[in-house]
Amino acid sequence: MQRSALRQSFGFWQWLLSLLCLPSIASASLLFFADPARNCGAIDEVRALPDSAWQPRERVPDQPLLFVQLWIKVDPSLAQRILVARDQTTPTWVAYDAAGQELSRVSVFDPDTLDGHPPGFHALALAPKLRYACLISVEPKATDVHVVEPGVLRAWEIRERTGLGLAAGAMLAMASLALAFALRLRESMFIWYALYSLSFLGYLLHYFDSLRALLPRALQDMPFGTALGMTLTCFAALTGIRFAIQFNELAPRWPGIVKWIERFLVLALISTLLILICQQWARAWVATPTMAFNAAVGVSLLLVMYAALRDAFEGRYPARIYLFGWLPIVVLVLLAVIGGLGVNIRVPVLAMFAAAVFECLVLGFAIAERAWRFRIERDQARHDAERDALTGSLNRAALMRALEMAAGQRPATLLYCDLDHFKRINDERGHPFGDRCLRHFAQIAHDQLRGIDVFGRIGGEEFVAVLPDTTIDEGIRTAERLRAALATTPVDDVLLTVSIGAATSRPRETTDAWIERADRALYRAKREGRNRVVSDGALPGTGPV
């Protein structure tokens, strides 16, 4: 048994090590040719190119957004291997033989031609006859194209699937956690974070051309997928920045910066609408609103980071935890935004997802800590709202709610308490001494009553205690203990006494009627000489021995 467990443990760690330490990519001689004037249908022109026109990978210049195809000349010795393009946007492979005949076409727009590779991989099997391959993409680069053995590709894909699965799971878990906090605490900050996590996950899937595979077959066409991806991108930017403003509490500290951020967010929203319109009816104009969107989001992020940095230098904890968690993902998003403005920058798939996981873990802890703080503050506010400021017992409003809940239930006993000769004490010793007497009585009452009993100040020197699951006999005994404890513990040199009226609840009786019966019993105790307990029934009152 122990030996079997050891073998299983060793196998697990061996598998994990294989994910982290992948086999090296097979080095192979590939030649590249890039020319905006020769698309992937110009095979005859490409075949006629001199050998000097073909360049090795290292010598092919990157020209982002200037062309949408990259020609590759394949050596016959590479047969049975796989040509892989990494991190392409809407890619398509077109393969030709030496005579210029098209052998195959592998496109993300045609799921029937794909073979289940994970996001970020676009593979083309190198058949023996294949001599030329053309990669159609938004900005194909020679450095993104590799020739690998099938086993290496499988190991690569295992790592990719594992990483993407963990990243997506972490983001979904944090979104669920934030939604739970939002439903419990009714705080909009947690809703913003949940929406941001979900939309940012959608943005990442779209950015690496993986979102289309999750859509129904009828919705996998390019216009709908592009529109959905752009919508998710805009939503992720808006919700993420709104969350950052609330989490860092920027509005009261940096009102001017927040106003500018809101203006840029409006610009980003308008740009998104224009992008969607242009993609449908005026594709030639789509570049302008795209650049406006990227600029608006980029400037908004920079403003948020500036305010957070200033707050972090001043020692504010939310700003520091925000920067610690968000800085990696914000830097990568800014790089992606800059790449969208035409600069030669490409963010790797795993780098973006790894930063997203790191951000989720750090901010997951932060929002949990913030939820705990909100809960404490809310409970404290509720406690303060229900308490009498002088005695710390329940105030009249909270006491009446407790009476409403207890009214009509049997058995429950109400004790109506009134300090004897309290006005004379106030007049002779002053109001500060009178306040001490009220606090003294409240403390004695809390000491004598049970944890389930409710005690509060109804006004002036009058207090009420509600004793659930207590008969009138038990209530009178409790009231007598309270009366005797007060009469034997002086405040300075003054002995206080209390008169108490007791009444047990009756079925279908209103709260006012219950209080009125206890109040009548209290006045009977006053008439009979004070410092005694009297019930509203036929039982005789009790007094000092």
Side-chain angles (χ1 to χ4, degrees):
M1 291 286 293
Q2 293 180 349
R3 198 170 291 176
S4 175
L6 286 173
R7 281 198 299 268
Q8 292 177 358
S9 176
F10 176 76
F12 168 77
W13 290 110
Q14 188 178 35
W15 171 80
L16 183 61
L17 186 63
S18 69
L19 297 183
L20 300 176
C21 304
L22 294 177
S24 59
I25 300 172
S27 60
S29 176
L30 291 177
L31 297 177
F32 297 86
F33 172 74
D35 185 353
R38 293 182 174 88
N39 59 35
C40 285
I43 181 62
D44 293 334
E45 298 179 25
V46 171
R47 289 174 57 231
L49 290 173
D51 292 341
S52 59
W54 296 93
Q55 302 290 333
R57 183 201 315 271
E58 296 76 14
R59 297 180 59 185
V60 179
D62 291 325
Q63 304 177 58
L65 301 181
L66 293 181
F67 61 91
V68 292
Q69 58 278 317
L70 178 68
W71 283 96
I72 304 166
K73 192 174 185 179
V74 181
D75 190 274
S77 63
L78 302 178
Q80 307 305 322
R81 298 186 183 183
I82 300 176
L83 197 61
V84 179
R86 294 297 314 273
D87 305 339
Q88 299 300 305
T89 303
T90 62
T92 297
W93 278 119
V94 183
Y96 296 94
D97 62 13
Q101 296 295 318
E102 183 175 323
L103 297 176
S104 62
R105 183 179 293 259
V106 182
S107 173
V108 295
F109 302 112
D110 184 6
D112 292 335
T113 66
L114 300 178
D115 53 1
H117 294 291
F121 291 84
H122 195 58
L124 175 67
L126 297 181
K129 294 183 178 180
L130 194 150
R131 294 295 178 271
Y132 299 96
C134 183
L135 175 62
I136 307 173
S137 183
V138 171
E139 47 178 293
K141 299 180 181 179
T143 52
D144 296 330
V145 178
H146 311 277
V147 174
V148 297
E149 299 284 352
V152 173
L153 179 60
R154 283 193 297 271
W156 208 350
E157 290 176 341
I158 289 174
R159 184 191 70 168
E160 201 82 3
R161 284 193 175 98
T162 303
L164 296 182
L166 290 174
M171 297 180 76
L172 290 174
M174 290 302 103
S176 302
L177 179 66
L179 281 176
F181 287 146
L183 294 174
R184 181 66 177 172
L185 301 175
R186 300 294 191 271
E187 290 288 339
S188 60
M189 182 192 74
F190 300 106
I191 297 178
W192 286 121
Y193 184 74
L195 294 176
Y196 158 74
S197 297
L198 295 174
S199 55
F200 189 69
L201 176 60
Y203 159 76
L204 291 178
L205 293 174
H206 165 70
Y207 183 80
F208 300 113
D209 203 40
S210 308
L211 186 61
R212 185 180 294 104
L214 302 178
L215 300 176
R217 183 68 175 272
L219 300 179
Q220 291 186 0
D221 61 297
M222 183 175 183
F224 180 82
T226 303
L228 178 61
M230 192 62 224
T231 302
L232 287 171
T233 302
C234 176
F235 202 59
L238 296 179
T239 54
I241 293 173
R242 289 302 308 175
F243 165 75
I245 291 173
Q246 291 197 14
F247 181 81
N248 291 295
E249 300 172 348
L250 298 184
R253 295 178 54 79
W254 304 95
I257 289 180
V258 171
K259 285 184 179 180
W260 277 106
I261 291 174
E262 290 174 347
R263 291 168 184 166
F264 281 113
L265 292 182
V266 171
L267 175 60
L269 182 60
I270 295 173
S271 301
T272 301
L273 296 175
L274 291 176
I275 291 171
L276 297 177
I277 293 172
C278 291
Q279 286 178 341
Q280 186 68 27
W281 292 290
R283 296 186 65 84
W285 296 89
V286 74
T288 301
T290 299
M291 295 186 68
F293 172 83
N294 288 326
V297 172
V299 173
S300 299
L301 287 174
L302 290 174
L303 290 174
V304 169
M305 297 301 291
Y306 169 78
L309 283 169
R310 290 284 301 273
D311 285 349
F313 281 121
E314 294 177 8
R316 290 180 57 81
Y317 173 76
R320 290 182 174 180
I321 197 70
Y322 167 80
L323 290 173
F324 181 67
W326 270 46
L327 192 57
I329 195 69
V330 168
V331 169
L332 292 179
V333 169
L334 283 174
L335 291 176
V337 167
I338 295 172
L341 295 173
V343 181
N344 181 19
I345 295 177
R346 177 72 62 81
V347 179
V349 177
L350 283 183
M352 185 75 84
F353 273 98
V357 171
F358 178 77
E359 174 260 333
C360 281
L361 293 177
V362 173
L363 290 186
F365 166 79
I367 65 172
E369 186 271 340
R370 182 67 63 89
W372 174 76
R373 195 186 78 182
F374 280 168
R375 178 66 181 270
I376 291 178
E377 291 175 353
R378 189 185 66 176
D379 291 347
Q380 185 63 46
R382 180 182 298 172
H383 179 275
D384 294 343
E386 293 178 346
R387 297 289 160 175
D388 174 60
L390 178 62
T391 64
S393 57
L394 291 180
N395 58 25
R396 184 183 183 90
L399 191 59
M400 294 305 293
R401 286 195 295 270
L403 285 168
E404 289 285 350
M405 295 177 62
Q409 299 180 9
R410 295 193 68 183
T413 298
L414 186 152
L415 305 181
Y416 205 132
C417 310
D418 185 276
L419 294 180
D420 298 328
H421 305 297
F422 184 74
K423 183 177 185 302
R424 187 175 65 190
I425 293 173
N426 260 340
D427 293 341
E428 294 179 355
R429 305 295 293 266
H431 288 282
F433 183 79
D435 292 344
R436 287 179 58 197
C437 293
L438 294 175
R439 287 193 292 267
H440 177 69
F441 175 66
Q443 183 60 51
I444 288 179
H446 284 294
D447 293 341
Q448 296 297 322
L449 297 176
R450 302 169 300 176
I452 63 172
D453 298 334
V454 177
F455 178 79
R457 184 185 178 195
I458 204 166
E461 69 273 21
E462 296 180 348
F463 296 82
V464 167
V466 182
L467 284 57
D469 299 322
T470 304
T471 63
I472 188 64
D473 295 339
E474 295 168 337
I476 289 176
R477 286 194 292 270
T478 300
E480 179 58 29
R481 288 197 307 270
L482 174 59
R483 184 202 63 77
L486 180 65
T488 56
T489 53
V491 179
D492 293 344
D493 57 343
V494 176
L495 278 174
L496 302 176
T497 61
V498 63
S499 299
I500 303 175
T504 189
S505 59
R506 295 174 179 174
R508 296 180 296 279
E509 184 180 37
T510 65
T511 302
D512 291 339
W514 191 14
I515 294 175
E516 184 179 353
R517 289 194 295 113
D519 190 39
R520 286 199 301 266
L522 170 63
Y523 276 96
R524 180 183 161 193
K526 294 284 189 181
R527 288 194 305 269
E528 292 180 359
R530 295 184 173 86
N531 190 24
R532 64 189 62 246
V533 179
V534 174
S535 82
D536 72 319
L539 292 174
T542 63
V545 178

